[in-house]
Amino acid sequence: MITSQDSAADVRSRVDTSAAEQQQSTPAEPAVELVDWSAFGRVLPILAASPGAGATSTAVAIADALQLAGRSVLLIDAGDPVRSGLGRAARTDGPRRDGPDPAAGVRFSRRARALLARLDLSELAAEPVMFPPPLHWHPGGGRGVDVTVVDVGHDPWRLASDPALGPGQWLRVGSPSPIPALVVRPTVPGLAHAEQVLARLAPWARAGAATPPTQLLVVGARRWPKGVSGTAGRRTSVLLPDAVFFPNDRGVATHGVTADVTPPSLRSPAEHLLRSWHVLPQRTRRPSRRWPRIARGHDSHVSDRDTG
């Protein structure tokens, strides 16, 4: 797994290189070294095209659908704690692990059977360069992870300015390849914001440094309102046919994400999405697992041994 400053600098230098210079490079030479994501299973980064688009509730619905289908899930909240939407997603907080800089660590907790990892800052002035690299977000201890769902949770314009640092690292090209999705509101400004984010990520994608979103998740509607989809830009319009719609849920909109399971109205499109990505198989019968009403014993906390 790549975490060194030299690797990040190499990624940035590749983006700064002109197209002509890139064509003159040796064909057998890879643009950047691939990240080994195998410890995290399939990595699903969920980005918001704009603040408040609904990336957090969408990421949680995806994670809930996965664990109810019997998958081992790591749900990552990479957003600044002051703006986090997952502060009440677990019944109790678990242990903290320091990152390379003790000012920015990772706190592990339980959300039913899934493991929730949240950014924990001991200094409010912690800079993005202190953001713990992916290696520090894995629970360790030999714990297997089938799928990692990442609520990227940062300003998308700032994130896309340098995916080699901060939460943009979850977009790094690797094996198995991450499957990023871009969350938008069903509005004309929402599509404009999506186009801007995709355009800002394009140079990184051309350099082979970042995996661009190829899926739109539309929050707050069951279909495009009249006259909205026609305003999509060149990059966004390609993603319109396969867009997945997550309807507005009044309870989640009012109370936010809590330790309770997300409603079926949100999990149903999440399941459809996961089947289209082949992360879940086509459904042959209803899932048999139930959401625990009360977190008991080992489900209510994570031991230090569990987090490495």
Side-chain angles (χ1 to χ4, degrees):
M1 193 166 298
I2 302 173
T3 60
S4 68
Q5 293 181 351
D6 291 341
S7 175
D10 178 66
V11 171
R12 289 191 291 274
S13 67
R14 295 283 181 170
V15 173
D16 293 336
T17 302
S18 67
E21 291 173 326
Q22 291 182 22
Q23 291 177 357
Q24 295 174 1
S25 61
T26 305
E29 180 186 356
V32 291
E33 187 176 357
L34 298 181
V35 178
D36 179 9
W37 292 116
S38 57
F40 293 93
R42 295 311 302 266
V43 178
L44 312 180
I46 309 301
L47 296 81
S50 58
T56 294
S57 60
T58 304
V60 174
I62 293 172
D64 288 355
L66 284 164
Q67 64 169 312
L68 288 172
R71 299 300 188 268
S72 173
V73 181
L74 174 62
L75 174 59
I76 291 178
D77 178 11
D80 295 330
V82 70
R83 296 187 295 179
S84 171
L86 294 179
R88 299 191 301 133
R91 298 188 187 279
T92 58
D93 286 337
R96 183 186 191 275
R97 174 194 293 163
D98 286 342
D101 190 305
V106 179
R107 188 169 298 280
F108 293 89
S109 305
R110 282 283 191 179
R111 175 174 171 78
R113 298 179 180 90
L115 194 61
L116 171 63
R118 292 184 290 135
L119 181 65
D120 188 293
L121 302 179
S122 59
E123 297 181 10
L124 295 180
E127 294 294 329
V129 294
M130 298 180 183
F131 187 87
L135 179 64
H136 291 265
W137 294 82
H138 193 277
R143 183 185 300 275
V145 176
D146 295 327
V147 186
T148 299
V149 182
V150 185
D151 176 16
V152 177
H154 273 248
D155 180 87
W157 186 258
R158 184 181 69 177
L159 177 146
S161 66
D162 192 347
L165 296 173
Q169 294 174 83
W170 292 104
L171 301 177
R172 294 289 300 277
V173 172
S175 178
S177 179
I179 311 177
L182 185 62
V183 178
V184 301
R185 286 291 183 181
T187 64
V188 173
L191 287 180
H193 293 148
E195 184 71 16
Q196 292 166 358
V197 172
L198 293 174
R200 197 160 171 85
L201 283 170
W204 300 98
R206 287 195 299 268
T211 308
T214 57
Q215 180 77 57
L216 280 186
L217 309 182
V218 187
V219 172
R222 297 184 183 274
R223 63 183 63 86
W224 291 111
K226 184 177 180 180
V228 172
S229 61
T231 66
R234 176 173 60 87
R235 295 175 177 84
T236 312
S237 60
V238 177
L239 308 182
L240 293 183
D242 297 322
V244 175
F245 291 83
F246 287 74
N248 183 59
D249 182 86
R250 183 177 300 178
V252 174
T254 302
H255 301 288
V257 174
T258 67
D260 296 328
V261 64
T262 46
S265 62
L266 299 182
R267 295 201 316 276
S268 179
E271 292 172 6
H272 171 77
L273 178 70
L274 292 165
R275 289 194 294 271
S276 71
W277 286 343
H278 303 289
V279 176
L280 287 181
Q282 294 299 320
R283 184 191 298 180
T284 56
R285 61 185 179 84
R286 295 184 65 83
S288 59
R289 289 179 177 264
R290 294 182 180 274
W291 191 268
R293 291 181 178 274
I294 301 176
R296 299 184 180 90
H298 65 277
D299 281 340
S300 62
H301 66 280
V302 181
S303 67
D304 291 333
R305 179 173 56 86
D306 288 337
T307 60

